[in-house]
Amino acid sequence: MDDRFERAIRRQLRRAGRQFEAAKRAYAEGRDDPAGAASGAARYDLPADEEGRARIVCRRHAERRAISVDDAGRPACFESGHPDCEGCAEDVRDGVVETW
């Protein structure tokens, strides 16, 4: 192969690799950026009341609650270390929490 041709091909491959990495990074930043995304119930696609509070069924007390959810997926009643609360927060983040 001609040296100039090889250099041109390698240059194009490097350019394509850089563009791919930039696109991948931009996608990840856009997906994970809480400032650009909705917050609370909307962020986790949960049904909400007219005030924007998520309508979930509390695992710990087995009751319906309309409650705010922070950007980390924890309901306002979340108690760190309690197994029911920890499981509820995980379910909110995974999108499988029981709602009403």
Side-chain angles (χ1 to χ4, degrees), residues 1-15:
M1 236 197 272
D2 188 79
D3 285 340
R4 288 184 296 161
F5 182 68
E6 258 186 69
R7 282 195 306 267
I9 294 294
R10 287 181 191 202
R11 187 172 45 246
Q12 291 297 331
L13 287 173
R14 281 194 297 271
R15 184 180 299 154

Side-chain angles (χ1 to χ4, degrees), residues 41 45-51 53-59 62-68 96-100:
D45 196 27
L46 299 171
D49 64 1
E50 55 278 348
E51 296 174 19
R53 298 176 301 186
R55 297 184 313 174
I56 64 173
V57 177
C58 176
R59 282 180 161 191
E63 64 185 16
R64 293 181 184 180
R65 291 188 175 181
I67 197 154
S68 61
V96 295
V97 69
E98 187 176 349
T99 60
W100 54 280

Side-chain angles (χ1 to χ4, degrees), residues 69-82:
V69 176
D70 67 9
D71 288 336
R74 296 179 305 242
C77 59
F78 178 80
E79 184 179 314
S80 182
H82 194 281

